Amino acid sequence: ADPFAPKVIAVPSKGVERWLMQQLSLRLGTECGWDGVAANVLFPSPSQLVGDVMSSLAGWAPNTDPWTASRLVWAVLAVMDENVPEAWAAMLSHHLGRDDPDAAHRHGRRFSTASKLAQLFTSYGDARPSMLLSWVDSVDTDGFGVGLRDDMLWQAAFWRRLRERIGVPSPAERLTEVCEKLRDQPDLVDLPARLSVFGPTRLSRSQLAVFDALAAGRELHLWLTHPSPTMWQALQGLQPAIRRAEDRTALQVNNPLLTNLSRDVRELQQLLSADAANLHHPPESLCDNVLRRMQDDIRLDRDPAKSAARLPLDGSISIHACHGHVRQVEVLREALLHLFNEDPTLQARDVIVLCPDVDAFAPLIAAAFGHTNAPHPGHRLRVRLADRGPARTNPLLQILQTLLALADGRVT
């Protein structure tokens, strides 16, 4: 209704945001299409979107809510310093070296421990809000009626003191009230009438509860990527496991690669309702090369050892053994140049390179693909790095990090 109102699409990472924006720009426009323009779209993460909704309905601005991770860590640090001498915190005291005069080197763990605990309590509130609700009532269970182990009891005691210090309800305590408000009064939050959550592989119970409440008064689309419609059908109707150790869904899967790499999507499917999916089945492939055979085995949940006769190696999948990061980047560059030379229709925007540690490879990629006067054709390839750490992309944070590092360096 309002052309100037921004669209909101929650995405799990910057890489997904970049790809999705490119795809939208190829389709959005006039009736002719292909205008190449996509603008005024906001891409928060699912956790950021849910956090903003929770904070606003509790009367807090997102950056002032005391339960946000960046603020919570300081409250955790204060509670930790005040209660470490207590008997119930003996395990925490031992970790910090308070009871050992020869463990002075552990004292430097204070902030890292506080950060870890803040992340831990935040994840508890997301994944298992019922557990924190039981802790509020001084019932030390896992939220499903099972008592905590002795080595975990200190966390419940710590959390109660943290809750007392902050003095306002935690997100887990607000969740039910927030969802009721969203259903009864959807206009309380400043969000458009249509929302999308695109490409998540993992959503917590709290996030799904808030999305379900938002969907009562808005049009909300949850776009999931799933490797195997066959596996989806096989897991439909199974009783969800309460604890990960009790999850037996992997036993229902035949393809070993699918078994090892699909834990997140299996768990997410268990959290969704049975009628939540409108599946799009990819067309049948001809299995005329090794890559398509592997994709079909995954999609149809087939054991490769029991599928049809093996195909000869044809280059659709290649594995390169490289010594060191520098050589990996060099081989990547040569392989890409070969692909571009073999297929004139292939463009740089059609290629995505996945990397487990982007920050470690970023300077090497910039050197191998950078725009220089070097005669190598690889230097003319346009490359964009996504999902880098904040300290790598923000010059001010880089300067601050360098200055703080001087204290541990050899500067006199």
Side-chain angles (χ1 to χ4, degrees):
D2 181 1
F4 295 103
K7 309 300 179 191
V8 176
I9 304 176
V11 293
S13 68
K14 287 290 184 182
V16 175
E17 173 189 334
R18 171 77 178 166
W19 176 86
L20 184 58
M21 198 66 167
Q22 287 179 337
Q23 297 303 309
L24 290 175
S25 69
L26 294 177
R27 290 164 174 80
L28 295 178
T30 63
E31 293 180 358
C32 299
W34 302 94
D35 289 346
V37 175
N40 203 21
V41 184
L42 302 180
F43 292 98
S45 66
S47 58
Q48 179 187 346
L49 178 59
V50 170
D52 290 352
V53 169
M54 297 278 286
S55 298
S56 63
L57 290 181
W60 297 93
N63 58 347
T64 61
D65 189 340
W67 288 97
T68 56
S70 57
R71 288 176 172 266
L72 184 61
V73 65
W74 301 106
V76 170
L77 191 62
V79 173
M80 188 170 65
D81 289 342
E82 292 170 0
N83 293 276
V84 158
E86 300 291 332
W88 60 266
M91 185 175 294
L92 186 60
S93 176
H94 176 74
H95 176 72
L96 297 174
R98 295 297 182 91
D99 54 355
D100 186 355
D102 297 328
H105 62 282
R106 298 186 193 170
H107 297 172
R109 294 177 175 178
R110 285 174 60 254
F111 186 78
S112 62
T113 302
S115 299
K116 178 66 175 177
L117 285 175
Q119 294 172 5
L120 201 61
F121 290 139
T122 300
S123 68
Y124 288 165
D126 286 339
R128 191 146 326 165
S130 58
M131 181 170 70
L132 295 188
L133 292 179
S134 71
W135 291 2
V136 171
D137 298 330
S138 299
V139 180
D140 297 341
T141 68
D142 64 353
F144 295 102
V146 179
L148 297 178
R149 301 194 313 264
D150 291 343
D151 61 332
M152 298 288 289
L153 289 173
W154 68 271
Q155 291 191 27
F158 191 105
W159 193 87
R160 281 191 285 272
R161 285 160 176 78
L162 177 66
R163 168 66 176 81
E164 182 181 356
R165 181 180 185 85
I166 293 178
V168 297
S170 67
E173 297 171 78
R174 305 177 205 158
L175 181 61
T176 301
E177 181 183 358
V178 163
C179 291
E180 290 176 354
K181 284 184 177 180
L182 285 174
R183 288 188 175 91
D184 296 338
Q185 307 175 63
D187 294 335
L188 286 178
V189 290
D190 184 21
L191 289 173
R194 183 175 64 185
L195 300 169
S196 283
V197 182
F198 189 90
T201 57
R202 179 181 300 174
L203 290 173
S204 67
R205 295 177 188 271
S206 296
Q207 290 170 351
L208 284 172
V210 172
F211 288 147
D212 189 58
L214 282 171
R218 287 176 169 80
E219 185 181 340
L220 189 143
H221 298 274
L222 178 59
W223 305 88
L224 298 177
T225 55
H226 197 277
S228 172
T230 303
M231 183 179 74
W232 180 282
Q233 298 292 354
L235 301 183
Q236 279 294 81
L238 292 183
Q239 187 68 23
I242 295 177
R243 300 168 190 82
R244 179 170 283 174
E246 301 171 358
D247 183 15
R248 296 293 182 267
T249 55
L251 301 178
Q252 307 295 322
V253 184
N254 298 311
N255 185 283
L257 192 60
L258 186 60
T259 302
N260 292 331
L261 300 180
S262 66
R263 187 179 71 181
D264 283 350
V265 293
R266 292 200 311 268
E267 291 181 350
L268 181 55
Q269 180 180 349
Q270 297 292 293
L271 292 176
L272 295 173
S273 60
D275 58 349
N278 180 14
L279 296 181
H280 167 68
H281 295 268
E284 294 284 344
S285 72
L286 301 177
C287 283
D288 56 354
N289 62 38
V290 176
L291 175 60
R292 287 178 179 170
R293 170 68 61 79
M294 185 182 75
Q295 291 171 331
D296 274 0
D297 287 342
I298 291 174
R299 182 168 57 85
L300 301 174
D301 189 21
R302 264 184 337 219
D303 186 347
K306 299 177 182 179
S307 61
R310 294 184 181 181
L311 296 172
L313 296 179
D314 51 19
S316 58
I317 296 178
S318 59
I319 299 174
H320 302 272
C322 306
H323 54 277
H325 291 179
V326 175
R327 186 58 183 160
Q328 287 185 46
V329 174
E330 291 174 348
V331 170
L332 169 67
R333 182 182 62 187
E334 303 307 316
L336 289 176
L337 289 173
H338 175 72
L339 291 174
F340 289 125
N341 187 60
E342 291 292 314
D343 183 1
T345 65
L346 186 66
Q347 299 185 41
R349 70 182 180 194
D350 300 324
V351 177
I352 181 169
V353 179
L354 305 182
C355 176
D357 188 358
V358 176
D359 287 335
F361 281 89
L364 303 177
I365 292 172
F369 292 90
H371 294 279
T372 66
N373 295 325
H376 197 288
H379 289 278
R380 294 192 290 272
L381 292 176
R382 298 184 64 185
V383 174
R384 180 181 290 267
L385 294 166
D387 291 334
R388 298 194 65 190
R392 305 291 184 178
T393 56
N394 189 324
L396 185 60
L397 286 180
Q398 278 190 307
I399 293 172
L400 180 60
Q401 190 176 44
T402 303
L403 288 174
L404 292 176
L406 294 178
D408 291 331
R410 296 194 296 173
V411 180
T412 59

